Amino acid sequence: MSELVNYVEARGYLERVPDPQDRRASIVRLSARGEALNQAAREILQEIEEEWAKEIGWEQMSALKQGLNALVNILEKEKSKS
C-alpha cells in the first residue's frame, strides 16, 4: 500500500501531513490536484449517468444503481469473511 501511496503522492494527487494526535503518524489526504481530479471524475460520472438514464429511464437507472450497490455490499461481506 505504501508503494501505491508514494506513487500517487509523487504525481501530486496526495499529500502527507503530520497527525496532530500521533507524531509518529502521517495523515494522507488529497492534494488540490487530487481534489480537482476527484471533482472532474464526479462530473464525468454524472454526465454518463444522465446519458444512460435518458436511454433506459430514471426508474430503471435507479434500480440499476440499487442492484449494483447490493452486489458491492455482498462482495464486501464476502471479502471480510476471508
Side-chain angles (χ1 to χ4, degrees), residues 77-82:
K77 286 178 186 174
E78 290 297 319
K79 182 179 174 183
S80 68
K81 289 179 184 178
S82 312

Side-chain angles (χ1 to χ4, degrees), residues 33-51:
R33 184 176 185 186
E35 290 285 356
L37 178 64
N38 186 40
Q39 183 60 37
R42 288 178 181 276
E43 290 171 8
I44 291 167
L45 289 172
Q46 181 66 34
E47 289 174 16
I48 292 169
E49 185 177 313
E50 289 174 6
E51 287 178 27

Side-chain angles (χ1 to χ4, degrees), residues 3-60:
E3 286 184 37
L4 179 59
V5 171
N6 291 338
Y7 179 87
V8 177
E9 180 184 27
R11 281 144 186 84
Y13 296 104
L14 294 177
E15 61 186 12
R16 294 175 203 231
V17 296
D19 185 331
Q21 311 250 329
D22 183 350
R23 291 181 184 214
R24 298 168 296 165
S26 293
I27 297 172
V28 178
R29 65 182 184 201
L30 291 174
S31 64
R33 184 176 185 186
E35 290 285 356
L37 178 64
N38 186 40
Q39 183 60 37
R42 288 178 181 276
E43 290 171 8
I44 291 167
L45 289 172
Q46 181 66 34
E47 289 174 16
I48 292 169
E49 185 177 313
E50 289 174 6
E51 287 178 27
W52 290 1
K54 286 178 186 175
E55 294 294 325
I56 66 173
W58 286 104
E59 188 174 316
Q60 282 187 301

